[in-house]
Amino acid sequence: MAEETRKKKRWYPILASNEFNNIQVGETVASEANNLIGRTVIVNLMVLTNDPKKQSYNVVFKVKNVSNDSGITELIKYYMNIAHTKRLVRKGISKVEDSFVVKTKDNVQYKIKPFIIVRFKAQKSYLTGIRMKAREHITNLFNDLESKDVFLTVVSNKLQMDLKSILKKIYPVNVCEIRILEKL
């Protein structure tokens, strides 16, 4: 009797968002296609971009709707692996970390955590200046961006390169990365 009430489960493909040309990023088991909504998939960025330099970064997709028995996702998080962060930090250098919330032009909020490493041990006043300048630049940039372009700016490294060129005028910057970018 219990076997009659149970539905047979099957595999459903999960497709990436439009930023990554809707390629298949995974599969999951469900009894109905509508049960896919709300599920998350973590994918290494190297797999999506075919760039070995991006192997230390992951992105998280969340299924927002179902079309043709496939889960259609949206990008909700980008983050750097902890092991990569530990590899970058060395003895005799200073690092700057920050965490704040920014809004885009279309009022979508993102939590962003920049990660900056300067070349030598620096005084606290320099590190504070770097943190404030980074926060100001990122806030101004996000105020001019649409929400669909935010992740593309970070994944393509455009934000990090612009930020590094601005911050190196304050103190020599070795690494400028975005550790976490998350849609709220």
Side-chain angles (χ1 to χ4, degrees):
M1 288 243 182
E3 293 178 17
E4 294 173 9
T5 59
R6 233 185 301 164
K7 272 197 155 183
K8 184 164 173 93
K9 294 185 178 182
R10 57 179 270 233
W11 288 93
Y12 292 97
I14 297 177
L15 306 177
S17 57
N18 292 334
E19 294 98 358
F20 299 105
N21 299 324
N22 295 329
I23 64 170
Q24 184 173 341
V25 293
E27 296 184 306
T28 188
V29 174
S31 57
E32 293 180 11
N34 289 333
N35 292 346
L36 298 177
I37 296 175
R39 293 193 185 182
T40 59
V41 178
I42 300 172
V43 181
N44 192 294
L45 198 54
M46 182 183 74
V47 174
L48 294 172
T49 60
N50 292 327
D51 185 6
K53 293 179 183 177
K54 304 278 188 191
Q55 68 183 349
S56 300
Y57 304 94
N58 290 335
V59 289
V60 178
F61 292 102
K62 185 174 185 178
V63 178
K64 64 177 181 178
N65 61 15
V66 177
S67 172
N68 298 332
D69 284 343
S70 298
I72 308 299
T73 61
E74 68 175 334
L75 191 55
I76 60 167
K77 188 174 182 180
Y78 163 95
Y79 66 95
M80 183 187 335
N81 294 337
I82 295 171
H84 185 62
T85 307
K86 290 180 179 180
R87 239 185 336 268
L88 293 173
V89 179
R90 302 269 188 232
K91 186 177 177 182
I93 61 170
S94 296
K95 71 176 179 175
V96 176
E97 292 182 296
D98 199 4
S99 176
F100 55 98
V101 176
V102 291
K103 274 188 180 179
T104 59
K105 189 190 288 185
D106 50 352
N107 286 331
V108 178
Q109 289 188 332
Y110 290 90
K111 179 184 265 189
I112 187 163
K113 297 184 180 184
F115 178 74
I116 302 156
I117 296 178
V118 296
R119 293 206 176 142
F120 315 106
K121 277 279 188 203
Q123 294 176 359
K124 201 168 189 174
S125 60
Y126 286 117
L127 300 178
T128 302
I130 287 173
R131 182 176 21 261
M132 291 300 138
K133 189 68 174 178
R135 184 179 283 209
E136 176 189 331
H137 176 71
I138 291 170
T139 304
N140 291 339
L141 179 71
F142 273 55
N143 286 337
D144 296 336
L145 283 177
E146 295 285 332
S147 60
K148 61 184 166 100
D149 300 328
V150 169
F151 282 107
L152 286 178
T153 306
V154 175
V155 169
S156 67
N157 243 12
K158 184 180 180 321
L159 171 63
Q160 293 91 317
M161 298 304 281
D162 291 346
L163 193 58
K164 186 175 181 178
S165 67
I166 289 170
L167 296 179
K168 71 181 180 183
K169 295 174 185 170
I170 298 173
Y171 200 83
V173 174
N174 199 17
V175 175
C176 184
E177 293 291 340
I178 301 300
R179 198 167 55 84
I180 295 174
L181 175 64
E182 185 174 11
K183 187 176 184 180
L184 298 178

